[in-house]
Amino acid sequence: MVPAAAPLLLGCDFSSAPSRRKPIVIALGAPSDHGVVALSGFETFDSLDDWAAWLERTPSWVGAFDFPFGLPRELVETLGWPLEWEALMAHYASLERKDIRTTFAAFCAARPVGGKFAHRVTDGPSGSSPSMKWVNPPVAYMLHAGVPRLLASGASIPGLHRAAASGERRVALEGYPGLLARELVGRRSYKSDAALLEGDGRSLVRIELLAALEAGRSRLGIRLACSPADRQLMLADAKADHLDAALCLVQAAWGYQRRDSPGPGYGLPPTVDPLEGWTVTA
């Protein structure tokens, strides 16, 4: 049986500039010892401050968050920024977004075609965008907006940071829904911010993707259980913010199952770079 003290599981589809049209979405769930994560509903936030306040007042959770937690070591060394993660994050948080864009654009301009961006080691197995990208998707801004607020919530980040005050009461893992989605439906698109594109089959791919999650067809060996109302909500959301949050929830459940694994725990590699971090399940 799951211990009575088992934490809330979270999957977070994140935005660095949330709004009512494009909120941050959190999928809530509970762990099980039968390879099932039960989705209990969603929370949405149209401001970063509201999202951060919710994390801080929720006493115990393990969450997978859809944004990078670190920058490429090559980039950091080239720029002469701090080589210790907490100091690096403090420096990065002190920058304005325009300064980040200017600095990263200059870095890219000095490099050859085909190798403009620096990559973290985890980018290969996860298939994620380099965390220094400032557009399409703006993951550099997501890191800038998200990580300082995770730290302010008292979260521990395995492999990068252990919070002295909360210990393991709040644990943040870097998630990436695209990694799990590609395993289940390949590279077929299942979402669009433009509602007019819904006629091109994306809604059918969402149906297939959610069915695969509910059947537990991925290598993670975890089935998603959800109510008919939550299933309909995920399928009707053309942007797939709710479905992406559920994908992250499954990743959080996989990490929680492996919380006592060697190294930093939560299924992360023992050799994870303490500056770059790692995407859970990659």
Side-chain angles (χ1 to χ4, degrees):
M1 298 296 290
V2 177
L8 180 68
L9 296 182
L10 311 178
C12 180
D13 179 71
F14 189 71
S15 170
S16 59
S19 64
R20 289 188 178 181
R21 188 188 69 83
K22 182 72 172 175
I24 296 170
V25 178
I26 288 183
L28 309 174
S32 164
D33 60 352
H34 301 295
V36 176
V37 58
L39 174 66
S40 58
F42 295 94
E43 297 278 352
T44 60
F45 308 91
D46 55 20
S47 82
L48 290 166
D49 288 344
D50 288 346
W51 170 74
W54 186 90
L55 292 176
E56 190 167 352
R57 68 174 179 265
T58 303
S60 178
W61 48 260
V62 174
F65 297 81
D66 181 20
F67 56 87
F69 288 2
L71 292 166
R73 181 173 288 274
E74 180 187 6
L75 170 72
V76 175
E77 290 178 344
T78 300
L79 296 177
W81 287 359
L83 293 175
E84 191 276 327
W85 185 82
E86 290 187 37
L88 174 63
M89 291 298 103
H91 171 73
Y92 193 62
S94 73
L95 302 175
E96 300 289 339
R97 288 188 184 182
K98 61 181 177 59
D99 299 321
I100 293 170
R101 181 179 65 251
T102 300
T103 300
F104 289 177
F107 175 92
C108 292
R111 290 162 65 91
V113 174
K116 293 293 187 181
F117 292 100
H119 289 266
R120 296 182 297 158
V121 175
T122 193
D123 290 345
S126 69
S128 57
S129 296
S131 60
M132 64 173 296
K133 281 195 75 174
W134 62 93
V135 66
N136 297 329
V139 286
Y141 298 158
M142 294 166 75
L143 189 163
H144 183 261
V147 167
R149 289 172 170 86
L150 286 179
L151 293 176
S153 77
S156 288
I157 302 177
L160 297 175
H161 168 77
R162 181 174 175 84
S166 67
E168 295 293 304
R169 292 195 301 113
R170 301 184 184 100
V171 176
L173 305 169
E174 179 183 321
Y176 178 42
L179 173 60
L180 182 51
R182 281 198 301 270
E183 181 183 343
L184 296 174
V185 295
R187 294 190 173 273
R188 287 177 292 158
S189 177
Y190 60 94
K191 58 186 175 181
S192 173
D193 286 342
L196 292 177
L197 295 178
E198 266 301 279
D200 63 358
R202 286 176 169 86
S203 60
L204 297 178
V205 182
R206 285 199 300 279
I207 292 171
E208 181 181 340
L209 176 52
L210 183 52
L213 280 178
E214 291 184 285
R217 293 182 194 142
S218 80
R219 63 185 169 83
L220 304 186
I222 295 175
R223 292 190 298 110
L224 178 72
C226 62
S227 69
D230 284 333
R231 181 184 301 110
Q232 181 57 36
L233 178 60
M234 287 184 279
L235 295 178
D237 179 4
K239 301 182 183 69
D241 297 338
H242 292 82
L243 184 52
D244 279 345
L247 287 161
C248 285
L249 177 64
V250 172
Q251 292 180 318
W254 183 92
Y256 179 72
Q257 285 182 342
R258 290 156 180 79
R259 59 195 179 278
D260 297 322
S261 61
Y266 296 88
L268 304 181
T271 56
V272 60
D273 188 314
L275 187 68
E276 293 188 344
W278 193 264
T279 304
V280 68
T281 77

